[in-house]
Amino acid sequence: MDYEETFALVAKMTTIRTLIAVASVRQWNISQMDVKNAFLNGELQEEVYMVPPQGVSHNQGEVCKLKKALYGLKQAPRAWFGKFTTVITSIRFRSSDHDSALFVKTTHHGLILLLLYIDDMIITGDDTDGINDLKLQLSKQFEMKDLGTLRYFLGIEVAYSPRGYLLSQSKYISNILEQARLSDTRVADSPLELNVKYAPSDGVPLPDPTLYRTLVGSLVYLTITRPDIAYVVHVVSQFVVSPTTVHWAAVLRICRYLRGTQFQSFLFPSTSSLKLSAYSDVGDPTDRKSTTGYCIFLGDSLISWKSKKQDIVSRSSTKSEYRAMASTTTEIVWLRWLLSDMSVILSEPTPMYCDNKSATQIAHNSVFHERTKHIEIDCHFTRHHLKHGTITLPFVSSALQIADLFTKTHSVKRFRFLIDKLSMLSANAS
């Protein structure tokens, strides 16, 4: 009861996508292993007592002192991660400073990467003998199950073709559609209508918002491989506290769009380069707060994106644009560090494409004017990395601004144009 810390031993989804993108380009095989009863391996650092379970005879007032972790114990995840870290570092792996669930080992024959997500792990690299030895070492320490080549991971279906790795969540979409209980067979060409705007007061409050919240939560997880719905899920997520009939209709439209694109796959091309590039944009505010949108590519592979409402009201469009640029810069810096752990050395600055000339000029200009002093912190941060060669700020026309997908709704034609830039394949694509 005096436990004050929370802990989640899960790899970031961006790290998972980045790892698969690098493996695809370098044509590494990705294997998967599972730890049976992982939490039972944890060794407690604290004294923990529990009420004796039913069927165990004991005297009045006696309790059990735990020697090892159990499922359901708050300390169990951290204790398991501590045990695994001790074992993996003993065989000369090091934990990444930029994602603690990524472990790296450089050998005489190449590189081995291991990514842990609770009790599931994926392993890749170019040292085949080293990977086989790693599996043997782990099997001696824990009860393991070798699942072979990566096929299904965290509800994500993974397939390999000569074009690269393909990720999809078609089974997961089937479950969402089943939960939604759609009464018709219609499909939608786009997730939301053009120029539609929602407010908390729209419509009549739902008598029971449980299903709305369940579906929105499921859609949030679906955005792992479906960046095309990132913006619309961001919109409907704003009303989970008190959804109305209008918001419910928006969720059903997203489901109808998914019905027509259920088998769409997310491609990490094997012919891609390993150069980082980014697009940054903001959307028109509906409540005086703009929406930050960015997407970051590793070659032709989309590995990171965001659609999120900014925390505060901006005093100008330039300020909101600059806040988006600062958020994108932060992600770029982190990704460059993460890629260096994967032995991907980026010797050139990362271009961050922006369609706002005013914001770009402020980044290059070392003089602060009265009208721009309120964005001084973001300006310093972006300019620092511009000056030190981490990023460049080339201009891109609004028509070619891919991050536009994450900031607003679009016509069907424009929406499909942007989707084509994300390396997403329909079911009929070869």
Side-chain angles (χ1 to χ4, degrees), residues 171-226:
K171 293 181 181 178
Y172 189 73
I173 293 175
S174 294
N175 295 335
I176 293 175
L177 296 177
E178 188 176 333
Q179 284 181 320
R181 299 193 291 270
L182 293 174
S183 58
D184 55 59
T185 57
R186 289 182 296 161
V187 297
D189 293 327
S190 61
L192 282 185
E193 296 176 11
L194 179 64
N195 297 327
V196 66
K197 294 184 179 181
Y198 296 104
S201 58
D202 292 339
V204 179
L206 296 177
D208 183 6
T210 303
L211 182 57
Y212 181 93
R213 293 168 181 167
T214 300
L215 286 176
V216 170
S218 299
L219 291 172
V220 169
Y221 191 74
L222 182 60
T223 58
I224 293 171
T225 62
R226 294 296 299 266

Coordinates of all heavy atoms in Angstrom, one line a residue, residues 171-226:
K171 N -7.4 -8.2 -38.6 CA -8.2 -8.9 -37.6 C -8.7 -8.0 -36.5 O -9.8 -8.1 -36.0 CB -7.3 -10.0 -37.0 CG -6.9 -11.1 -37.9 CD -6.1 -12.2 -37.3 CE -5.7 -13.3 -38.2 NZ -4.8 -14.3 -37.6
Y172 N -7.8 -7.1 -36.1 CA -8.2 -6.1 -35.1 C -9.4 -5.2 -35.6 O -10.3 -4.9 -34.8 CB -7.0 -5.2 -34.7 CG -7.2 -4.3 -33.5 CD1 -7.2 -4.9 -32.3 CD2 -7.3 -3.0 -33.7 CE1 -7.4 -4.0 -31.1 CE2 -7.5 -2.1 -32.6 CZ -7.5 -2.7 -31.3 OH -7.7 -1.9 -30.2
I173 N -9.3 -4.8 -36.9 CA -10.4 -4.1 -37.4 C -11.7 -4.9 -37.4 O -12.8 -4.3 -37.2 CB -10.1 -3.6 -38.9 CG1 -8.9 -2.6 -38.8 CG2 -11.3 -3.0 -39.6 CD1 -8.4 -2.2 -40.2
S174 N -11.6 -6.2 -37.7 CA -12.8 -7.0 -37.7 C -13.5 -7.0 -36.3 O -14.7 -6.9 -36.2 CB -12.5 -8.5 -38.0 OG -12.0 -8.6 -39.3
N175 N -12.7 -7.0 -35.3 CA -13.2 -6.9 -33.9 C -13.9 -5.6 -33.6 O -14.9 -5.5 -33.0 CB -12.1 -7.2 -32.9 CG -11.5 -8.6 -33.0 OD1 -12.1 -9.5 -33.4 ND2 -10.2 -8.7 -32.5
I176 N -13.3 -4.5 -34.1 CA -13.9 -3.2 -34.0 C -15.2 -3.1 -34.6 O -16.2 -2.6 -34.1 CB -12.9 -2.1 -34.5 CG1 -11.6 -2.0 -33.6 CG2 -13.6 -0.7 -34.5 CD1 -10.6 -1.0 -34.2
L177 N -15.3 -3.6 -35.9 CA -16.6 -3.6 -36.6 C -17.6 -4.4 -35.9 O -18.8 -4.1 -35.9 CB -16.3 -4.1 -38.0 CG -15.4 -3.2 -38.9 CD1 -15.2 -3.8 -40.3 CD2 -15.9 -1.8 -39.0
E178 N -17.2 -5.5 -35.3 CA -18.1 -6.4 -34.6 C -18.7 -5.7 -33.4 O -19.8 -5.7 -33.0 CB -17.4 -7.7 -34.2 CG -18.4 -8.7 -33.6 CD -17.6 -10.0 -33.3 OE1 -16.6 -10.3 -34.0 OE2 -18.1 -10.7 -32.4
Q179 N -17.8 -4.9 -32.7 CA -18.2 -4.2 -31.5 C -19.1 -3.0 -31.9 O -20.1 -2.7 -31.1 CB -17.0 -3.6 -30.8 CG -16.1 -4.6 -30.0 CD -14.9 -3.9 -29.3 OE1 -14.3 -3.0 -29.9 NE2 -14.7 -4.2 -28.1
A180 N -18.9 -2.4 -33.0 CA -19.7 -1.3 -33.4 C -21.1 -1.6 -33.8 O -22.0 -0.8 -33.7 CB -19.1 -0.6 -34.6
R181 N -21.3 -2.9 -34.1 CA -22.7 -3.4 -34.5 C -23.4 -2.6 -35.5 O -24.5 -2.1 -35.4 CB -23.5 -3.5 -33.2 CG -23.0 -4.5 -32.2 CD -24.0 -4.8 -31.1 NE -24.3 -3.6 -30.3 CZ -23.7 -3.3 -29.1 NH1 -22.7 -4.1 -28.7 NH2 -24.1 -2.2 -28.5
L182 N -22.7 -2.3 -36.6 CA -23.2 -1.5 -37.7 C -24.4 -2.3 -38.3 O -24.4 -3.5 -38.6 CB -22.2 -1.3 -38.8 CG -21.0 -0.4 -38.4 CD1 -20.0 -0.3 -39.5 CD2 -21.5 1.0 -38.1
S183 N -25.5 -1.6 -38.6 CA -26.7 -2.2 -39.1 C -26.8 -2.2 -40.6 O -27.8 -2.6 -41.1 CB -27.9 -1.5 -38.5 OG -27.9 -0.1 -38.8
D184 N -25.8 -1.7 -41.3 CA -25.8 -1.6 -42.7 C -24.5 -2.1 -43.3 O -23.6 -2.5 -42.5 CB -26.1 -0.2 -43.2 CG -25.2 0.8 -42.6 OD1 -23.9 0.7 -42.9 OD2 -25.6 1.7 -41.9
T185 N -24.4 -2.1 -44.6 CA -23.2 -2.6 -45.2 C -22.5 -1.5 -46.0 O -21.6 -1.7 -46.8 CB -23.5 -3.7 -46.2 OG1 -24.4 -3.3 -47.2 CG2 -24.0 -4.9 -45.5
R186 N -22.8 -0.2 -45.7 CA -22.2 0.9 -46.4 C -20.8 1.1 -46.0 O -20.3 0.7 -45.0 CB -23.0 2.2 -46.1 CG -24.4 2.3 -46.7 CD -25.0 3.6 -46.3 NE -25.2 3.7 -44.9 CZ -25.4 4.9 -44.3 NH1 -25.4 6.0 -44.9 NH2 -25.7 4.9 -42.9
V187 N -20.0 1.7 -47.0 CA -18.6 2.1 -46.7 C -18.5 3.6 -47.0 O -19.3 4.2 -47.7 CB -17.6 1.3 -47.6 CG1 -17.7 -0.2 -47.2 CG2 -17.9 1.5 -49.1
A188 N -17.5 4.2 -46.4 CA -17.2 5.6 -46.6 C -15.9 5.8 -47.3 O -15.0 5.0 -47.1 CB -17.2 6.3 -45.2
D189 N -15.8 6.8 -48.2 CA -14.6 7.1 -48.9 C -13.6 7.8 -48.1 O -12.4 7.7 -48.5 CB -15.0 7.9 -50.2 CG -15.8 7.2 -51.2 OD1 -15.6 6.0 -51.3 OD2 -16.6 7.8 -51.9
S190 N -14.0 8.4 -47.0 CA -13.0 9.1 -46.2 C -13.5 9.0 -44.7 O -14.7 8.8 -44.5 CB -12.9 10.6 -46.6 OG -14.1 11.3 -46.5
P191 N -12.7 9.2 -43.7 CA -13.1 9.0 -42.4 C -14.1 10.0 -41.8 O -14.9 9.7 -41.0 CB -11.8 9.0 -41.6 CG -10.7 8.8 -42.6 CD -11.2 9.3 -43.9
L192 N -13.9 11.3 -42.3 CA -14.8 12.4 -41.9 C -15.2 13.2 -43.1 O -14.4 13.3 -44.0 CB -14.2 13.2 -40.8 CG -14.1 12.7 -39.4 CD1 -13.5 13.8 -38.4 CD2 -15.5 12.3 -38.9
E193 N -16.3 13.9 -43.0 CA -16.8 14.8 -44.0 C -15.8 16.0 -44.1 O -15.2 16.4 -43.1 CB -18.2 15.2 -43.8 CG -19.2 14.1 -43.8 CD -20.6 14.6 -43.4 OE1 -20.8 15.8 -43.4 OE2 -21.5 13.8 -43.2
L194 N -15.8 16.6 -45.3 CA -14.9 17.7 -45.5 C -15.4 18.9 -44.7 O -16.6 19.2 -44.6 CB -14.9 18.1 -47.0 CG -14.1 19.3 -47.4 CD1 -12.6 19.1 -47.2 CD2 -14.3 19.6 -48.9
N195 N -14.5 19.6 -44.1 CA -14.7 20.9 -43.3 C -15.7 20.7 -42.1 O -16.2 21.7 -41.6 CB -15.2 22.0 -44.2 CG -14.2 22.4 -45.3 OD1 -13.0 22.3 -45.1 ND2 -14.7 22.7 -46.5
V196 N -15.9 19.5 -41.7 CA -16.8 19.3 -40.6 C -16.1 19.7 -39.3 O -14.9 19.5 -39.1 CB -17.2 17.8 -40.5 CG1 -16.1 16.9 -40.2 CG2 -18.4 17.7 -39.4
K197 N -16.8 20.3 -38.4 CA -16.3 20.7 -37.1 C -17.2 20.3 -36.0 O -18.5 20.4 -36.1 CB -16.0 22.2 -37.0 CG -14.9 22.7 -38.0 CD -14.7 24.2 -37.8 CE -13.5 24.6 -38.8 NZ -13.2 26.1 -38.7
Y198 N -16.7 19.8 -34.9 CA -17.5 19.3 -33.8 C -17.3 20.1 -32.5 O -16.2 20.6 -32.3 CB -17.2 17.8 -33.5 CG -17.5 16.9 -34.7 CD1 -16.5 16.4 -35.5 CD2 -18.8 16.6 -35.0 CE1 -16.8 15.6 -36.5 CE2 -19.1 15.7 -36.0 CZ -18.1 15.2 -36.8 OH -18.4 14.4 -37.9
A199 N -18.3 20.2 -31.7 CA -18.3 20.9 -30.5 C -18.9 20.0 -29.4 O -19.7 19.2 -29.7 CB -19.0 22.2 -30.5
P200 N -18.5 20.2 -28.1 CA -19.1 19.4 -27.1 C -20.6 19.5 -27.0 O -21.3 18.5 -26.5 CB -18.4 19.9 -25.8 CG -17.1 20.5 -26.3 CD -17.5 21.1 -27.6
S201 N -21.2 20.6 -27.4 CA -22.6 20.8 -27.3 C -23.4 20.3 -28.4 O -24.7 20.3 -28.4 CB -22.9 22.3 -27.1 OG -22.4 23.0 -28.2
D202 N -22.8 19.7 -29.4 CA -23.5 19.2 -30.6 C -24.3 18.0 -30.2 O -23.8 17.1 -29.5 CB -22.5 18.8 -31.7 CG -21.8 20.0 -32.3 OD1 -22.4 21.1 -32.2 OD2 -20.8 19.8 -32.9
G203 N -25.5 17.9 -30.7 CA -26.3 16.7 -30.5 C -26.9 16.5 -29.1 O -26.8 17.4 -28.2
V204 N -27.4 15.3 -28.9 CA -28.0 14.9 -27.6 C -27.0 13.9 -26.9 O -26.5 13.0 -27.5 CB -29.3 14.2 -27.8 CG1 -29.9 13.7 -26.5 CG2 -30.3 15.1 -28.6
P205 N -26.7 14.1 -25.6 CA -25.8 13.2 -24.9 C -26.3 11.8 -24.9 O -27.5 11.5 -24.8 CB -25.9 13.8 -23.4 CG -26.3 15.2 -23.6 CD -27.2 15.2 -24.7
L206 N -25.3 10.9 -25.1 CA -25.6 9.4 -25.2 C -26.0 8.9 -23.8 O -25.4 9.3 -22.8 CB -24.4 8.6 -25.7 CG -23.9 8.9 -27.1 CD1 -22.7 8.1 -27.4 CD2 -25.0 8.6 -28.1
P207 N -27.1 8.1 -23.7 CA -27.5 7.6 -22.4 C -26.4 6.7 -21.7 O -26.3 6.7 -20.5 CB -28.8 6.8 -22.7 CG -28.7 6.5 -24.2 CD -28.0 7.7 -24.8
D208 N -25.7 6.0 -22.6 CA -24.6 5.1 -22.0 C -23.4 5.3 -23.0 O -23.4 4.8 -24.1 CB -25.1 3.7 -22.0 CG -24.0 2.8 -21.4 OD1 -22.9 3.3 -20.9 OD2 -24.2 1.5 -21.4
P209 N -22.4 6.0 -22.5 CA -21.2 6.3 -23.4 C -20.2 5.2 -23.4 O -19.1 5.4 -24.0 CB -20.6 7.6 -22.7 CG -21.0 7.4 -21.3 CD -22.3 6.7 -21.2
T210 N -20.5 4.1 -22.8 CA -19.5 3.0 -22.7 C -19.0 2.5 -24.0 O -17.8 2.4 -24.2 CB -20.1 1.8 -21.9 OG1 -20.5 2.2 -20.6 CG2 -19.0 0.7 -21.7
L211 N -19.9 2.2 -24.9 CA -19.5 1.7 -26.2 C -18.7 2.7 -27.0 O -17.7 2.4 -27.7 CB -20.7 1.3 -27.1 CG -20.4 0.6 -28.4 CD1 -19.5 -0.6 -28.3 CD2 -21.7 0.3 -29.1
Y212 N -19.1 4.0 -26.9 CA -18.3 5.1 -27.6 C -16.9 5.1 -27.1 O -15.9 5.1 -27.9 CB -19.0 6.4 -27.3 CG -18.3 7.6 -27.9 CD1 -18.7 8.1 -29.2 CD2 -17.2 8.3 -27.3 CE1 -18.1 9.2 -29.8 CE2 -16.6 9.3 -27.9 CZ -17.0 9.8 -29.1 OH -16.4 10.8 -29.7
R213 N -16.7 5.0 -25.8 CA -15.4 5.1 -25.2 C -14.6 3.8 -25.6 O -13.4 3.9 -25.8 CB -15.5 5.2 -23.7 CG -16.0 6.5 -23.2 CD -16.4 6.5 -21.7 NE -17.0 7.7 -21.3 CZ -17.6 7.9 -20.2 NH1 -17.8 6.9 -19.3 NH2 -18.1 9.1 -19.9
T214 N -15.2 2.7 -25.6 CA -14.5 1.4 -26.0 C -14.0 1.5 -27.4 O -12.9 1.1 -27.7 CB -15.5 0.2 -25.8 OG1 -15.9 0.1 -24.5 CG2 -14.8 -1.1 -26.2
L215 N -14.9 2.0 -28.3 CA -14.5 2.1 -29.8 C -13.4 3.1 -30.0 O -12.5 2.8 -30.7 CB -15.7 2.4 -30.6 CG -16.8 1.3 -30.8 CD1 -18.0 1.8 -31.6 CD2 -16.2 0.1 -31.5
V216 N -13.5 4.2 -29.3 CA -12.5 5.2 -29.5 C -11.1 4.7 -29.0 O -10.1 4.9 -29.6 CB -12.9 6.5 -28.8 CG1 -11.7 7.5 -28.7 CG2 -14.0 7.2 -29.5
G217 N -11.2 4.0 -27.8 CA -9.9 3.4 -27.3 C -9.3 2.4 -28.3 O -8.1 2.4 -28.5
S218 N -10.2 1.6 -28.9 CA -9.7 0.7 -29.9 C -9.1 1.4 -31.1 O -8.1 0.9 -31.7 CB -10.9 -0.3 -30.3 OG -11.4 -1.0 -29.2
L219 N -9.8 2.4 -31.5 CA -9.3 3.2 -32.7 C -7.9 3.8 -32.4 O -7.1 3.9 -33.3 CB -10.3 4.3 -33.1 CG -11.6 3.7 -33.7 CD1 -12.6 4.9 -33.8 CD2 -11.4 3.0 -35.0
V220 N -7.7 4.3 -31.2 CA -6.4 4.9 -30.8 C -5.3 3.8 -31.1 O -4.3 4.1 -31.6 CB -6.4 5.3 -29.4 CG1 -5.0 5.7 -28.9 CG2 -7.3 6.6 -29.2
Y221 N -5.6 2.6 -30.6 CA -4.5 1.5 -30.8 C -4.4 1.2 -32.3 O -3.3 0.8 -32.8 CB -4.9 0.3 -30.0 CG -3.8 -0.7 -30.0 CD1 -2.7 -0.5 -29.1 CD2 -3.8 -1.9 -30.8 CE1 -1.7 -1.4 -29.1 CE2 -2.8 -2.8 -30.7 CZ -1.7 -2.6 -29.9 OH -0.7 -3.5 -29.8
L222 N -5.5 1.3 -33.1 CA -5.4 1.0 -34.5 C -4.5 2.0 -35.3 O -3.9 1.6 -36.3 CB -6.8 1.0 -35.1 CG -6.9 0.7 -36.6 CD1 -6.4 -0.7 -36.9 CD2 -8.4 0.8 -37.0
T223 N -4.3 3.2 -34.7 CA -3.5 4.2 -35.4 C -2.0 3.8 -35.5 O -1.2 4.5 -36.1 CB -3.6 5.6 -34.8 OG1 -3.2 5.5 -33.4 CG2 -5.0 6.1 -34.9
I224 N -1.6 2.7 -34.8 CA -0.3 2.2 -34.8 C 0.2 1.9 -36.3 O 1.3 2.2 -36.7 CB -0.1 0.9 -34.0 CG1 -0.3 1.2 -32.5 CG2 1.2 0.3 -34.2 CD1 -0.4 0.0 -31.6
T225 N -0.8 1.3 -37.1 CA -0.5 1.0 -38.5 C -1.4 1.8 -39.4 O -1.3 1.5 -40.6 CB -0.6 -0.5 -38.7 OG1 -2.0 -0.9 -38.5 CG2 0.3 -1.3 -37.8
R226 N -2.2 2.7 -38.9 CA -3.2 3.4 -39.8 C -3.1 4.9 -39.6 O -3.9 5.5 -38.9 CB -4.6 2.9 -39.5 CG -4.9 1.4 -39.9 CD -4.7 1.2 -41.4 NE -5.6 2.0 -42.2 CZ -6.8 1.5 -42.6 NH1 -7.2 0.3 -42.3 NH2 -7.6 2.3 -43.4

